[in-house]
Amino acid sequence: MGHPAAVSVVSLRALHKRYGDSVVLDGFDLEVGRGQVVALLGLSGAGKTTALKTINRLVEPDSGAVEVLGREARRWEPVELRRRVGWVIQEAGLLPHMSALDNAGLVLRLLGWPAARRRARARDVLTLVGLSPDRQGALLPRQLSSGERQRVGLARALACEPPLLLMDEPFGALDPLTRRRLQDEFRALQRRLGTSVVLVTHDLPEALRLGDQVVVMNRGKVAQLGAPDVIRGAPSPGFVADLVAAALGSGC
């Protein structure tokens, strides 16, 4: 593991969540250390996104404890918490009528930054993620490639320098070459910034490539937690071993 977990940026303990008769989280635990990338990996319906959304209070667990940035989540005002924590989703979720530059500065606008300061910071973060503020920054989302849109989404999430970034299948809609390139660029950028990250993915190679720790989830529980080399080389018998064999055996 690349980073010590002595200082927890996120702590989820014994989380339970049910929708009707469906149990989504069943005693789920998670610790995320400062500067650490933790990948939540599992099949569809494993509870990955639900667990992620408990961190910024988009989902309230039925029971259990959630601490974010050293404070119980319930003591955070939800909007304030979401503005402190970066959020990146598949297809970026950009506003279609706003330019890439304005999308990158959207959170800063919500925080009340003056226009000139907001624009300068938006230009800086577009440059940070490999886009030209003058060229791509003036374009609408529909005029950008899928990879460029995802870069704008990342720029928006990084604009207010959040200590924590939540990412839900951020590279899932990209073609394989663009996906690999953005994964590598993101990991290099994360190491430079020291941002803590919780990443949801159903793709084992992505989890192994990006995570300092990988949490394999199955039916709302932790099936195995470990460094990438442990998950790859010594998967727990049963579900995890089958998942690793299927993914790596397929050449993914």
Side-chain angles (χ1 to χ4, degrees):
M1 185 176 72
H3 304 275
V7 179
S8 289
V9 177
V10 172
S11 179
L12 309 181
R13 296 188 296 277
L15 295 193
H16 290 264
K17 182 65 179 179
R18 176 189 293 269
Y19 293 107
D21 294 331
S22 176
V23 177
V24 184
L25 296 176
D26 189 7
F28 180 74
D29 297 308
L30 178 70
E31 297 285 333
V32 181
R34 183 174 296 167
Q36 198 177 42
V37 178
V38 176
L40 303 184
L41 172 72
L43 304 178
S44 178
K48 308 181 298 297
T49 295
T50 299
L52 188 76
K53 288 180 176 180
T54 66
I55 297 171
N56 63 357
R57 298 196 65 184
L58 288 173
V59 168
E60 299 288 354
D62 298 329
S63 62
V66 179
E67 292 185 5
V68 185
L69 304 178
R71 187 191 304 180
E72 289 184 25
R74 63 185 178 181
R75 297 184 180 276
W76 281 100
E77 197 281 321
V79 173
E80 179 191 1
L81 175 60
R82 291 166 200 157
R83 290 177 180 173
R84 288 284 306 276
V85 175
W87 178 253
V88 183
I89 60 175
Q90 189 176 124
E91 290 288 356
L94 304 179
L95 297 182
H97 61 284
M98 293 174 59
S99 70
L101 189 69
D102 288 339
N103 267 289
L106 181 60
V107 175
L108 305 178
R109 181 179 179 181
L110 296 174
L111 290 172
W113 283 37
R117 183 184 175 207
R118 182 174 73 238
R119 189 171 183 84
R121 177 59 180 164
R123 291 179 64 87
D124 287 344
V125 290
L126 284 181
T127 302
L128 187 67
V129 299
L131 296 177
S132 165
D134 294 319
R135 187 159 49 88
Q136 287 110 330
L139 301 178
L140 295 174
R142 62 180 171 78
Q143 298 171 303
L144 300 170
S145 70
S146 58
E148 289 170 337
R149 288 194 295 272
Q150 205 61 43
R151 290 172 190 268
V152 176
L154 180 59
R156 179 181 59 192
L158 293 173
C160 60
E161 300 183 322
L164 174 63
L165 197 60
L166 306 181
M167 307 181 78
D168 191 0
E169 300 277 5
F171 309 114
L174 303 176
D175 66 82
L177 290 178
T178 301
R179 183 176 188 171
R180 180 62 179 266
R181 184 169 65 249
L182 280 185
Q183 287 171 347
D184 291 344
E185 291 178 6
F186 162 73
R187 194 61 166 110
L189 180 61
Q190 181 275 331
R191 288 190 175 109
R192 180 151 61 92
L193 297 176
T195 309
S196 303
V197 178
V198 184
L199 167 74
V200 162
T201 181
H202 68 274
D203 183 76
L204 177 65
E206 179 170 270
L208 298 178
R209 186 176 301 121
L210 297 181
D212 295 306
Q213 291 279 283
V214 177
V215 180
V216 184
M217 295 184 65
N218 185 30
R219 298 180 180 179
K221 297 181 179 182
V222 176
Q224 187 175 2
L225 163 66
D229 58 346
V230 173
I231 301 298
R232 181 190 294 107
S236 296
F239 174 78
V240 181
D242 291 344
L243 182 68
V244 171
L248 299 185
S250 68
C252 295

